Amino acid sequence: KQWYQRRVAITAGDSFCTHTLFRNMEKFCLLTLAVLTALLILPSEAQTQSKFFAIGTDASLECTWNDLENPEDIQVVKWTFKGRRLREGKRYQYSSEGNTHNLLIKNIQKKDKGSYICSPKMRTDQLLGDGKFVVSVDKARLPEMPEPRDVRMTEGGTGNLNCNYHQAKERYGLKLFWTYNGEKIEEGDVVHSGTNANYRAYTDEEGRDWLALSNLDLEAAGAYKCNYKYPDKQIFSMKFNVLVKDLTGPADQIRNVTVNEDRYTQSLICDLSSLTNVLSYRWEKDGEVINNDTDSSGKMILLEDDMVKTLEFDDLNSEEHSGAYRCVAELQYYETGLTFNFVVEESTKERDFAPWSQWSSCDNAGKKYRFRTCIADGCSDLYGFVYEVQTGYCDEDDEME
């Protein structure tokens, strides 16, 4: 019926043009052609469109007739490629919504480049024009890779790396993987076998990709990349140079301790109870580790009472015991210490005390005694006493009581 109506209209025009004056013939023929053109509805965009698709992606071609009164008037839209009709199946899928008809080409390849035509078949006498697409297929056109970014993190802390490539990722169906120093980060929660640093990869609601790092150590420093793999095997990457700063503990607390040999004993006390996660501790003297085997005479003893560590000296000696003593607590990422600048002064008793008295007579136990008194100011504070007694053992020549 549609073909018949077209033919009648053209025949009538030709007949009239043959039987009129020449000067009117051209004018009427053009009018007839304009009427016929107005009846033909073209797709909403230009009849011929150029489309580019990346290899391995899904390509969508779309024909829309905006002036179509009733979408149901279209009986079917036939899609052809290089003159061959395309049948629905694994590679080609048809769909429609309203006045729009779509052809989806799955996993497009270079062999699919060329001309595609959408041709509507109508149930009415309304005329719809064909749509034509010139399709080119090649490798995806990747953007220029950005310059590497330097990211500074701290030992024992956390850090985040962020890549925003969601538009291309969604458009081309890209596969994301993260690498460390050129090696793919394996599934799990540790960045690589030589570190204790943990990671978590995720995508946020806005499509940005994140690599969250935690429990950082110095071995976690290196080159990280987020890599987006295209269907044509090309890879777009963003690089991060991660620098992990050594976490330095606080400076040692300093205590200056000065005593006299005449004090006889002295204790250096190190209380670690305010610290958490103490892995170990040690004592040092002038940078050398000391323990209970360091002084075989037993004049220097290391004692422990839970988190209170004590270094005890007996029979103080200026030459042997003076020095810088350091109590060191080893924590997870750094060490902290308490330093005692310990000075033992030589004895001043010969200056501060009166001469010794004569030895007493020997007692029944075979012992004898002598005394002396402190004559300097502040004896009680300096020595803790104001006189001292010395005990001796009698021999055969000593007088008995």
Side-chain angles (χ1 to χ4, degrees):
K1 180 180 179 181
Q2 183 179 354
W3 175 86
Y4 176 77
Q5 288 173 335
R6 281 178 167 178
R7 186 61 183 164
V8 169
I10 295 172
T11 302
D14 290 344
S15 176
F16 182 83
C17 290
T18 305
H19 296 89
T20 58
L21 296 175
F22 177 76
R23 64 186 179 183
N24 294 325
M25 180 177 65
E26 180 180 5
K27 182 177 181 181
F28 187 81
C29 286
L30 290 174
L31 178 61
T32 304
L33 181 59
V35 172
L36 292 175
T37 303
L39 295 175
L40 182 65
I41 299 177
L42 301 177
S44 58
E45 299 184 17
Q47 270 188 284
T48 301
Q49 302 179 52
S50 296
K51 295 284 188 179
F52 170 81
F53 298 102
I55 294 173
T57 60
D58 294 342
S60 178
L61 303 178
E62 189 177 272
C63 281
T64 301
W65 293 272
N66 288 332
D67 295 330
L68 182 64
E69 296 177 358
N70 185 359
E72 298 298 326
D73 290 344
I74 298 179
Q75 181 177 346
V76 67
V77 172
K78 180 174 68 174
W79 289 89
T80 58
F81 171 57
K82 296 180 179 179
R84 176 176 59 88
R85 184 172 182 180
L86 302 177
R87 304 290 182 180
E88 284 196 90
K90 292 182 178 180
R91 293 214 60 217
Y92 305 108
Q93 296 179 9
Y94 290 4
S95 63
S96 64
E97 182 177 354
N99 294 351
T100 300
H101 287 254
N102 182 276
L103 170 67
L104 181 66
I105 307 170
K106 303 285 288 184
N107 189 27
I108 197 167
Q109 300 296 321
K110 283 190 173 182
K111 65 181 181 179
D112 297 312
K113 65 181 180 180
S115 297
Y116 291 78
I117 296 175
C118 59
S119 302
K121 181 179 180 181
M122 301 297 295
R123 292 189 174 92
T124 67
D125 57 358
Q126 192 172 15
L127 300 179
L128 300 184
D130 294 344
K132 183 177 180 181
F133 302 87
V134 178
V135 172
S136 58
V137 182
D138 206 340
K139 288 186 175 181
R141 298 162 184 169
L142 273 62
E144 185 177 348
M145 293 189 186
E147 291 294 323
R149 289 174 52 195
D150 291 337
V151 181
R152 298 182 182 276
M153 300 181 183
T154 303
E155 185 182 16
T158 62
N160 293 283
L161 306 178
N162 164 234
C163 294
N164 190 356
Y165 203 56
H166 70 280
Q167 291 183 348
K169 184 181 177 183
E170 292 180 1
R171 178 181 177 185
Y172 298 109
L174 306 182
K175 304 296 184 183
L176 167 69
F177 63 95
W178 289 87
T179 56
Y180 168 80
N181 287 348
E183 298 291 332
K184 186 176 181 181
I185 297 179
E186 300 297 335
E187 292 186 5
D189 61 353
V190 179
V191 173
H192 63 87
S193 59
T195 179
N196 292 319
N198 303 114
Y199 80 92
R200 183 172 70 92
Y202 67 96
T203 303
D204 66 19
E205 295 178 353
E206 297 179 0
R208 293 174 297 185
D209 296 304
W210 295 83
L211 188 70
L213 301 173
S214 59
N215 194 30
L216 287 164
D217 54 21
L218 300 182
E219 290 72 23
Y224 291 77
K225 284 184 180 181
C226 56
N227 306 276
Y228 296 90
K229 188 174 183 180
Y230 282 74
D232 59 14
K233 310 303 181 184
Q234 293 187 94
I235 295 178
F236 177 80
S237 300
M238 301 182 198
K239 183 178 179 181
F240 305 86
N241 294 321
V242 174
L243 309 174
V244 180
K245 181 182 178 182
D246 187 2
L247 186 60
T248 304
D252 280 14
Q253 296 183 39
I254 305 296
R255 294 182 184 175
N256 297 316
V257 180
T258 301
V259 297
N260 191 282
E261 285 180 337
D262 302 320
R263 191 179 182 89
Y264 297 114
T265 63
Q266 179 66 37
S267 296
L268 304 180
I269 300 175
C270 179
D271 188 350
L272 306 180
S273 59
S274 62
L275 302 176
T276 58
N277 299 322
V278 177
L279 303 180
S280 63
Y281 91 99
R282 66 182 184 275
W283 280 96
E284 297 176 356
K285 178 188 178 184
D286 298 330
E288 298 291 333
V289 177
I290 58 176
N291 53 45
N292 281 329
D293 296 327
T294 303
D295 184 1
S296 58
S297 67
K299 295 181 179 180
M300 184 174 64
I301 303 172
L302 278 66
L303 304 173
E304 290 187 42
D305 183 9
D306 195 16
M307 297 300 290
V308 178
K309 318 300 180 182
T310 302
L311 183 58
E312 189 172 279
F313 299 91
D314 189 28
D315 194 9
L316 287 169
N317 181 281
S318 174
E319 185 176 340
E320 294 180 6
H321 296 151
S322 293
Y325 291 84
R326 187 168 183 244
C327 172
V328 184
E330 190 74 32
L331 307 182
Q332 185 172 4
Y333 298 108
Y334 60 86
E335 63 181 34
T336 184
L338 172 60
T339 296
F340 298 87
N341 292 321
F342 188 47
V343 177
V344 180
E345 296 177 341
E346 293 183 354
S347 175
T348 58
K349 282 187 175 181
E350 298 303 320
R351 181 193 67 194
D352 294 340
F353 281 74
W356 287 101
S357 65
Q358 295 293 322
W359 286 103
S360 66
S361 299
C362 295
D363 61 14
N364 293 333
K367 294 180 180 181
K368 58 185 179 179
Y369 308 92
R370 65 177 181 173
F371 307 86
R372 67 176 178 178
T373 304
C374 180
I375 58 176
D377 293 335
C379 281
S380 296
D381 296 331
L382 289 173
Y383 303 105
F385 55 87
V386 294
Y387 69 93
E388 65 176 341
V389 178
Q390 188 176 36
T391 302
Y393 291 92
C394 299
D395 54 29
E396 295 181 354
D397 297 333
D398 289 324
E399 180 182 350
M400 299 293 293
E401 290 183 349

